[in-house]
């Protein structure tokens, strides 16, 4: 079991900034990456960003490059997603994912709404 908890979702104005956090607990020894996905109403879940705990590599969806930054924690399997220059199309439920070689573990999600 690898419980994942996301936090930080909120209502923000366009152009605003928001930081999300993901914390993995339980059997995390085989967790080497944490990634963020998001899902808007009526749309499929899409990849946002990923960070590796082995080398710190990061990768982003084209839609968020230059605006979002994913960072890894130290000593714990955590990840933050700093979002800047938020747009309406960034709205949705943001989920954290942690694969361990057997299972893809998902959090319950945190709501981000970008609206004026």
């Amino acid at each position: 079991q690898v419980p994942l908890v996301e936090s930080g979702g909120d209502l923000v104005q366009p152009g605003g900034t928001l930081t999300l956090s993901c914390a993995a607990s339980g059997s995390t020894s085989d967790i080497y990456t944490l990634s963020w996905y998001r899902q808007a109403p009526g749309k499929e879940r899409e990849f946002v960003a990923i960070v590796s705990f082995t080398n710190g590599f990061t990768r982003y969806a084209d839609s968020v490059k230059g605006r979002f930054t994913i960072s890894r924690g130290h000593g714990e399997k955590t990840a933050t997603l700093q979002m800047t220059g938020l747009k309406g199309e960034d709205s949705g439920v943001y989920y954290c994912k942690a694969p361990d070689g057997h299972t893809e573990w998902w959090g319950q999600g945190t709501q981000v709404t970008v609206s004026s």
Side-chain angles (χ1 to χ4, degrees):
Q1 294 288 321
V2 181
L4 294 172
V5 178
E6 305 100 331
S7 62
D10 205 351
L11 170 65
V12 297
Q13 295 184 5
T17 299
L18 195 64
T19 299
L20 308 181
S21 297
C22 171
S25 59
S27 302
T28 63
S29 61
D30 291 329
I31 300 296
Y32 298 109
T33 64
L34 286 178
S35 59
W36 285 97
Y37 288 71
R38 67 188 182 190
Q39 187 168 21
K43 301 187 68 175
E44 294 186 355
R45 190 171 299 185
E46 64 177 351
F47 168 79
V48 176
I50 188 169
V51 62
S52 169
F53 289 95
T54 60
N55 53 27
F57 282 179
T58 60
R59 181 168 62 86
Y60 300 89
D62 288 343
S63 59
V64 306
K65 285 181 179 177
R67 299 189 298 119
F68 290 13
T69 302
I70 188 169
S71 302
R72 60 177 174 170
H74 298 282
E76 293 183 326
K77 299 296 176 62
T78 61
T80 63
L81 185 69
Q82 184 181 47
M83 306 183 293
T84 63
L86 285 164
K87 308 173 181 179
E89 52 263 44
D90 294 318
S91 296
V93 179
Y94 283 68
Y95 299 92
C96 188
K97 184 183 80 173
D100 67 1
H102 302 280
T103 307
E104 290 187 349
W105 302 95
W106 293 86
Q108 291 297 112
T110 184
Q111 177 71 50
V112 174
T113 303
V114 184
S115 177
S116 60

